[in-house]
Amino acid sequence: MPFYEIFIISVALAMDAFTIAVACGLCMPEVSKRQNFRLSFHFGLFQALMPLLGWLAGLTVKSMKDDSCDTYKDPTKGLSLVFLSVATSLDALAVGLSFSIMDYPIAFPCVMIGITALVLTSFGLWLGKSFAKASSYSHIAE
């Protein structure tokens, strides 16, 4: 993967840390160098370790590959479902933390985020399957 792609991913992943840092900065009367270092170091450390944990989780999912038919076991069941659900919701945890820091009510955002995720997940699954079907028929057009 080229450097610029990793950089773009890094920036995108750092945006939630940036958002929380802004919220913290808004709530703190003063920010010392020590506080800045502590927050920055820990956010950076966790952002660096989470991809490693995700990579290890990916090895678990990868090990579930059924070599006899070259397909993966159903990702909507068991540990695969749990790993994927947690992996896709870690940024929502950061949003909840931000809302708490800002004293923002959480009920409506939770419902809205949940419904939006449900709808977009359903659409994404359908779209992915549609692309897969289209690509399996692409040889006919040749």
Side-chain angles (χ1 to χ4, degrees):
M1 182 177 292
F3 172 81
Y4 74 91
E5 290 179 0
I6 295 172
F7 179 74
I8 291 169
I9 291 169
S10 299
V11 170
L13 289 173
M15 293 313 293
D16 54 354
F18 172 77
T19 302
I20 292 173
V22 169
C24 289
L26 287 170
C27 296
M28 297 171 69
E30 301 221 4
V31 179
S32 70
K33 288 181 181 180
R34 183 176 180 165
Q35 290 170 316
N36 187 318
F37 174 78
R38 274 197 316 247
L39 192 67
S40 300
F41 176 79
H42 283 89
F43 280 13
L45 177 66
F46 276 73
Q47 288 286 342
L49 292 178
M50 284 302 184
L52 176 60
L53 292 176
W55 186 80
L56 293 171
L59 288 180
T60 302
V61 172
K62 192 175 179 181
S63 71
M64 297 164 65
K65 183 176 178 183
D66 182 358
D67 290 328
S68 63
C69 63
D70 201 34
T71 60
Y72 288 92
K73 292 185 180 178
D74 186 354
T76 66
K77 294 181 180 176
L79 284 178
S80 293
L81 178 61
V82 173
F83 282 134
L84 293 173
S85 297
V86 170
T88 59
S89 64
L90 289 175
D91 54 350
L93 178 72
V95 168
L97 179 63
S98 297
F99 284 174
S100 175
I101 290 170
M102 296 183 304
D103 289 326
Y104 192 82
I106 195 64
F108 179 72
C110 283
V111 171
M112 188 69 180
I113 289 167
I115 291 171
T116 303
L118 182 147
V119 169
L120 290 178
T121 299
S122 181
F123 176 68
L125 192 57
W126 172 83
L127 189 62
K129 189 61 179 171
S130 297
F131 286 155
K133 284 181 182 178
S135 69
S136 68
Y137 294 116
S138 66
H139 70 281
I140 295 171
E142 293 177 352

